[in-house]
Each structure stands twice: as structure tokens, then as C-alpha cells.
């Protein structure tokens, strides 16, 4: 992939940070039972690793043709979720177009890997048809359309970023999960109620332990913005 090597390293480092953060979201959700979109966090981990490998070849960590299979299946999976979403069926995400942007991102990843593989095969063949193969592999119009669509989603995500509630606000209105606690007297047990008169006005660490507070939606959107910018940059390099 072309472009300045220092810029490629910056974007690759950013993608590694995003992948690592999304991996910690999955781990935190599993350990602390906090809600998050596991499918989106998982695909962000894969995208971050894949894009880092495309930008800096020495960071490549998958077999030849493996990423095409991964993102082909991911595109079909998110397309099915988007269809269910537009039919009015309940899906994880909760906002219109949530899965559609991931169909676009997975499709863009699939296009980039297919185009790069075709170009590599044409260059290795060294035949007189290699120029034609390179030209048909890139499909500049499709790359440009994908890049503009991704940048459009970046602007949309950046615009709604301030409207998302911070974790502190989500924690304040989270519904506590009933926690079994031993009564102070006797050997019986009682449930700590959410609406109890003795409930603390300011939830502390122990009070929040029984609450299912979602992981930060703002940071999740920041990951989508970073990936959209990086993916758009990579598509422009392929024009």
C-alpha cells in the first residue's frame, strides 16, 4: 500500500490501539456483566488487526485468503441483521442504521483484500495481461464510492457524539439487579431493593456492583470514527 511510511505506521498504531480497546470491552463485559454490542466489538478487533497488517506488512498475522473469508461472512451477517432491523425486528444496537454502517465497513474491507490479492497475483505473474488485471482489480469508482460513504458515516458519528450519555449518567439511571444479602439479624436472607428507603442517593462502588451499567457508548463511537477515517484513507490510496 502506498503513501508515506510514517503515516502508515501512525494509522496502523491507531488500529492496534482500537483493536486492543475493543478486546478489553469484550473482557470487561464478560467479567462485569456489563452490556455492550459483542458482535460490533468483535468485528472491530478483527478490523483493527487486519488494517494494521495491510498498512504495515510486517504486522500481518493471518494466512493468505483468510481475511477475505472472515469479512465475506461478516458482510453477509451484518446484512442479515440490517434486514431484520428494517423489518422492525428487535436487534442489538437499538438505533436506525446501526448495522448498515457495519455492512459498509465489512464490505469495504472485503473489497480492499480482494483488490490487493488480485493485484499481487497479477504482479507475481509478470504477464502482459497484468496491467489489465490491475485495472480491473481496483475498480476506482467503487473505491471512491466506498470512501465517500465511510467519510459520511464518520461525519454522522461525530455529529451525534455529544448527544450520547456519558457512563456516569448511565450509572445514575441504571436499574439495580436484586442482590442477595444476609440480614443483619437472624439467619434469613433479604433482597436489596432498587426503590428502598435506605438506598444511597449517590451510588458508590458497592451500590453499582449490582447495576448493569453499559460500557461507554462514546468510546465505542470514537472507535467507529477512527476506523472510518483509516478505512477511507486506505481506499483513497487504492485509486
Amino acid at each position: 500500500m502506498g503513501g508515506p511510511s510514517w503515516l502508515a505506521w501512525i494509522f496502523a498504531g491507531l488500529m492496534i490501539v482500537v483493536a486492543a480497546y475493543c478486546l478489553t470491552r469484550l473482557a470487561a463485559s464478560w467479567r462485569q456483566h456489563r452490556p455492550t454490542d459483542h458482535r460490533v466489538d468483535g468485528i472491530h478487533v478483527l478490523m483493527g488487526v487486519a488494517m494494521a497488517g495491510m498498512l504495515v506488512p510486517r504486522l500481518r498475522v493471518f494466512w493468505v485468503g483468510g481475511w477475505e473469508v472472515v469479512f465475506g461472512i461478516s458482510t453477509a451477517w451484518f446484512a442479515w441483521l440490517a434486514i431484520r432491523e428494517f423489518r422492525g425486528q428487535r436487534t442489538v444496537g437499538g438505533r436506525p442504521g446501526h448495522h448498515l454502517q457495519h455492512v459498509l465497513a465489512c464490505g469495504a474491507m472485503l473489497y480492499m483484500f480482494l483488490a490487493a490479492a488480485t493485484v499481487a497475483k497479477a504482479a507475481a505473474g509478470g504477464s502482459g495481461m497484468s496491467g489489465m488485471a490491475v485495472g480491473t482489480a481496483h475498480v476506482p469508482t467503487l473505491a471512491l464510492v466506498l470512501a465517500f460513504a465511510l467519510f459520511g458515516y464518520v461525519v454522522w458519528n461525530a455529529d451525534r457524539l455529544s448527544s450520547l450519555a456519558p457512563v456516569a449518567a448511565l450509572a445514575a439511571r441504571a436499574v439495580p439487579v436484586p442482590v442477595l444479602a444476609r440480614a443483619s439479624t437472624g439467619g434469613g436472607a433479604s433482597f436489596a431493593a432498587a426503590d428502598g428507603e435506605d438506598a444511597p442517593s449517590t451510588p458508590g462502588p458497592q451500590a453499582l456492583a449490582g447495576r448493569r451499567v453499559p460500557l461507554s457508548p462514546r468510546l465505542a463511537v470514537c472507535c467507529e470514527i477512527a476506523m472510518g477515517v483509516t478505512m477511507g484513507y486506505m481506499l483513497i490510496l487504492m485509486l
Side-chain angles (χ1 to χ4, degrees):
M1 187 161 290
S5 60
W6 61 268
L7 190 55
W9 274 104
I10 289 176
F11 277 116
L14 178 62
M15 290 301 96
I16 291 173
V17 170
V18 169
Y21 169 70
C22 291
L23 190 60
T24 61
R25 285 176 67 92
L26 292 172
S29 176
W30 176 68
R31 287 180 60 87
Q32 303 174 10
H33 305 287
R34 296 176 62 181
T36 185
D37 195 334
H38 299 94
R39 290 172 290 206
V40 172
D41 287 334
I43 200 63
H44 282 173
V45 173
L46 295 175
M47 283 183 178
V49 174
M51 283 192 282
M54 288 191 74
L55 288 162
V56 180
R58 70 179 67 179
L59 299 178
R60 198 168 295 162
V61 293
F62 220 12
W63 68 86
V64 177
W67 285 122
E68 289 89 325
V69 175
V70 169
F71 291 114
I73 295 174
S74 300
T75 303
W77 174 253
F78 280 107
W80 178 71
L81 291 177
I83 291 172
R84 290 187 60 196
E85 183 181 50
F86 284 111
R87 285 180 176 176
Q89 299 181 25
R90 187 175 181 272
T91 58
V92 177
R95 66 177 188 272
H98 174 69
H99 296 297
L100 190 60
Q101 71 178 93
H102 296 103
V103 175
L104 174 64
C106 291
M109 292 295 297
L110 179 62
Y111 164 79
M112 288 192 291
F113 274 103
L114 290 175
T118 306
V119 171
K121 289 179 181 178
S127 63
M129 297 294 289
S130 61
M132 183 182 298
V134 171
T136 56
H138 278 304
V139 193
T141 303
L142 179 57
L144 190 62
V145 169
L146 289 172
F148 272 112
L150 285 166
F151 287 140
Y153 265 113
V154 166
V155 173
W156 178 66
N157 280 322
D159 181 65
R160 70 185 185 88
L161 189 60
S162 60
S163 65
L164 298 174
V167 175
L170 295 175
R173 62 173 181 255
V175 178
V177 178
V179 179
L180 188 64
R182 292 206 172 271
S184 56
T185 58
S190 62
F191 284 98
D195 300 328
E197 296 178 357
D198 299 330
S201 58
T202 303
Q206 293 182 350
L208 290 178
R211 297 174 183 242
R212 299 189 184 277
V213 182
L215 294 170
S216 175
R218 289 186 174 183
L219 288 178
V221 171
C222 287
C223 290
E224 294 177 357
I225 292 173
M227 287 195 161
V229 171
T230 304
M231 210 175 296
Y233 167 75
M234 294 168 69
L235 286 165
I236 290 174
L237 289 181
M238 300 183 75
L239 294 177

